[in-house]
């Protein structure tokens, strides 16, 4: 079976969560860098990474790396890579994305253009062709430049892994599914514990939690670019991995996962998304404002993505909203609260300093993940989910 070095990009600040996921799948990490984790794996690993990883953005086959401070060095470095081992004569190939940090070459469009020319030149020599039809399977390429070091990867995923296939309808400022999953994985929550999202919007955090509780692989209901690459990954690996994923699903699990929103329309959207994900029976959604936030049981978790006040008309509402969050959280005896926000006065208005504070990027926006930790339940209570 063919061996690869695989690259899994992720949200900045979530590398440790992704590293743990990859290790749990049984693969050896070779590098952890800002926004990505690299590991060794075979054809089966490529399939399993795409289908099982909750916090990755995509899975790339690393084709190579080299130093380049000029476009000539970029051309020659790209030319030296074994493109013919991956791209057939009729393959459609292009540099889908170029990212450059602290490098002399910084123009994405120029980097993409030069690399495409080098790829064509290499394949012309190998296939003895002057022109390529490019009417076959797709082979998108992604390149990272960091301090003039170029890393080139072939994208096996296609549409980002955060697109699980269940979120047909969204809120105004939805949180990406893989970021929502990472926020949950940064907490001690498990399927036996209570989880409430009082600002659930289109339901992403409760749905991701329910999928975890049911053992549902995030990528089992979507397709991937590499599924058609039969010369690189045998079809049997995709079938076997899907069989493995289906066998793990348990929708009979007993959960207490709840999502609240003040907007009736959002609650309807969340329910529909949960239904599309196949976890609607595991979540209770209802219209409820944060001022009504309460729960009769102890030792639960609030995991939420409240408004940040990014829109000008919302900014003046933020202090009162975060004070209310603090008041309602204080009334939840022994609960923990995990809250992602770009609102800089969150701790002051909540009225308590977070036990932990992690800087994350939600897209290009710098946010903070405030972690207010409650006490651990007694062992007997933990077994009952209290």
């Amino acid at each position: 079976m063919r061996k690869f070095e695989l690259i899994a990009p992720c949200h900045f600040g979530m590398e440790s969560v992704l590293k743990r996921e990859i290790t749990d799948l049984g693969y050896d990490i070779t590098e952890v860098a800002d926004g990505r984790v690299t590991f060794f794996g075979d054809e089966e690993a490529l399939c399993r990474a795409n289908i099982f990883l909750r916090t990755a953005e995509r899975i790339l086959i690393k084709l190579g790396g080299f130093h380049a401070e000029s476009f000539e060095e970029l051309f020659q470095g790209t030319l030296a890579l074994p493109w013919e081992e991956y791209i057939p004569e009729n393959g459609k190939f292009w540099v889908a994305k170029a990212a450059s940090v602290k490098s002399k070459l910084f123009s994405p469009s120029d980097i993409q253009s030069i690399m495409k020319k080098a790829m064509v030149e290499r394949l012309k020599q190998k296939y003895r062709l002057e022109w390529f039809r490019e009417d076959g399977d797709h082979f998108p390429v992604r390149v990272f430049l960091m301090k003039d070091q170029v890393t080139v990867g072939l994208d096996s995923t296609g549409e980002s892994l955060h697109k699980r296939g269940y979120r047909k309808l969204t809120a105004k400022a939805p949180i990406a599914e893989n970021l929502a999953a990472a926020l949950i994985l940064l907490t001690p929550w498990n399927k036996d514990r209570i989880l409430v999202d009082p600002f659930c919007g289109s339901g992403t955090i409760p749905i991701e939690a329910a999928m975890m509780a049911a053992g549902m692989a995030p990528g089992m209901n979507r397709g991937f670019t590499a599924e058609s690459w039969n010369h690189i990954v045998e079809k049997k690996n995709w079938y076997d991995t899907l069989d493995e994923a289906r066998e793990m699903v348990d929708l009979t699990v007993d959960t207490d996962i709840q999502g609240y929103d003040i907007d009736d329309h959002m609650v309807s959207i969340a329910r529909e998304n949960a239904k599309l994900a196949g976890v609607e029976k595991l979540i209770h959604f209802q219209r409820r404002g944060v001022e009504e936030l309460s729960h009769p049981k102890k030792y639960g978790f609030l995991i939420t993505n409240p408004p940040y006040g990014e829109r000008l008309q919302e900014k003046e509402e933020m202090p009162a909203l975060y004070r209310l969050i603090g008041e309602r959280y204080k009334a939840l005896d022994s609960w923990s609260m995990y809250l992602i926000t770009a609102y800089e006065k969150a701790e002051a208005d909540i009225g308590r300093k977070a036990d932990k504070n992690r800087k994350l990027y939600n897209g290009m926006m710098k946010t903070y993940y405030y972690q207010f930790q409650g006490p651990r339940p007694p062992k007997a209570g933990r077994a009952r989910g209290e």
Side-chain angles (χ1 to χ4, degrees):
M1 193 177 282
R2 198 166 180 174
K3 304 287 185 184
F4 307 108
E5 192 168 11
L6 300 170
I7 304 169
C10 64
H11 282 84
F12 284 99
M14 290 303 188
E15 298 84 2
S16 62
V17 185
L18 177 56
K19 178 184 176 183
R20 188 171 75 233
E21 277 201 280
I22 293 167
T23 302
D24 288 347
L25 279 181
Y27 304 117
D28 294 328
I29 307 292
T30 59
E31 183 188 15
V32 178
D34 285 347
R36 66 182 190 268
V37 179
T38 305
F39 61 103
F40 281 124
D42 54 17
E43 294 173 34
E44 181 186 74
L46 184 144
C47 301
R48 294 183 76 233
N50 270 300
I51 289 172
F52 285 109
L53 291 178
R54 299 183 188 278
T55 61
E57 291 184 353
R58 58 188 67 251
I59 303 300
L60 311 175
I61 298 173
K62 184 177 178 180
L63 299 189
F66 53 89
H67 189 85
E69 297 182 28
S70 68
F71 284 122
E72 178 60 25
E73 288 177 330
L74 179 67
F75 183 91
Q76 293 300 331
T78 305
L79 184 68
L81 297 176
W83 297 104
E84 68 282 357
E85 292 180 15
Y86 299 92
I87 302 172
E89 286 186 27
N90 68 336
K92 179 176 176 58
F93 56 97
W94 73 103
V95 180
K97 185 173 182 181
S100 177
V101 178
K102 298 178 182 176
S103 298
K104 291 182 175 64
L105 302 178
F106 56 83
S107 166
S109 59
D110 289 339
I111 292 166
Q112 289 167 304
S113 176
I114 295 293
M115 289 186 68
K116 171 76 177 193
K117 287 176 184 174
M119 293 161 69
V120 169
E121 193 58 38
R122 170 85 182 203
L123 293 174
K124 278 168 65 173
Q125 294 170 13
K126 296 297 178 179
Y127 290 128
R128 290 179 165 73
L129 291 172
E130 286 300 313
W131 180 77
F132 293 91
R133 299 193 311 274
E134 295 198 52
D135 57 359
D137 296 326
H138 290 194
F139 296 87
V141 173
R142 291 188 169 239
V143 59
F144 313 97
L145 281 77
M146 170 60 81
K147 295 181 180 177
D148 303 317
Q149 184 64 26
V150 183
T151 303
V152 183
L154 189 62
D155 181 7
S156 73
T157 302
E159 274 200 311
S160 172
L161 288 175
H162 82 264
K163 296 193 175 180
R164 322 293 207 207
Y166 67 74
R167 200 165 72 178
K168 305 298 183 188
L169 302 163
T170 63
K172 287 179 188 173
I175 191 167
E177 293 90 326
N178 56 348
L179 179 55
L183 297 181
I184 298 165
L185 290 171
L186 279 169
T187 79
W189 179 83
N190 63 61
K191 65 179 184 291
D192 298 322
R193 306 284 294 274
I194 304 158
L195 187 153
V196 174
D197 180 357
F199 299 92
C200 74
S202 52
T204 309
I205 290 174
I207 291 169
E208 289 294 319
M211 289 174 69
M212 290 179 195
M216 189 179 288
M220 63 185 290
N221 293 315
R222 54 158 288 169
F224 306 95
T225 299
E227 285 182 79
S228 62
W229 298 352
N230 298 331
H231 61 298
I232 298 175
V233 184
E234 286 186 31
K235 271 279 198 235
K236 183 179 183 298
N237 291 296
W238 292 105
Y239 297 142
D240 289 348
T241 303
L242 277 172
D243 286 344
E244 178 189 359
R246 290 186 186 113
E247 286 170 9
M248 291 172 64
V249 177
D250 177 13
L251 291 170
T252 67
V253 65
D254 188 25
T255 59
D256 189 346
I257 300 171
Q258 301 181 35
Y260 308 147
D261 201 277
I262 197 166
D263 186 336
D264 271 324
H265 181 56
M266 279 293 104
V267 173
S268 297
I269 286 174
R271 286 182 181 136
E272 182 60 26
N273 287 339
K275 187 176 181 181
L276 289 168
V279 294
E280 72 274 18
K281 292 179 181 176
L282 303 182
I283 310 169
H284 173 66
F285 288 110
Q286 72 176 99
R287 183 194 176 283
R288 184 189 284 197
V290 70
E291 69 278 359
E292 300 176 78
L293 177 60
S294 64
H295 199 288
K297 293 184 180 177
K298 293 185 175 185
Y299 307 110
F301 286 77
L302 294 178
I303 305 178
T304 194
N305 175 41
Y308 302 169
E310 290 305 303
R311 295 175 181 84
L312 195 61
Q313 64 269 30
E314 293 176 351
K315 281 189 183 296
E316 59 190 36
E317 300 170 9
M318 291 302 104
L321 175 64
Y322 280 77
R323 281 197 295 271
L324 185 55
I325 291 170
E327 289 166 13
R328 297 319 304 154
Y329 172 53
K330 191 174 181 181
L332 286 166
D333 183 32
S334 71
W335 279 51
S336 298
M337 179 167 69
Y338 295 80
L339 181 149
I340 183 172
T341 183
Y343 178 55
E344 294 182 356
K345 296 180 180 177
E347 286 176 301
D349 289 335
I350 286 169
R352 175 178 161 182
K353 187 170 175 58
D355 297 294
K356 288 185 180 178
N357 175 7
R358 182 186 284 253
K359 184 168 72 174
L360 304 171
Y361 281 86
N362 185 0
M364 297 304 293
M365 187 187 302
K366 183 171 73 173
T367 63
Y368 292 93
Y369 192 38
Y370 294 106
Q371 304 170 52
F372 302 89
Q373 296 168 346
R376 287 170 63 87
K379 287 186 179 179
R382 227 175 292 165
R384 294 194 303 271
E386 293 177 3

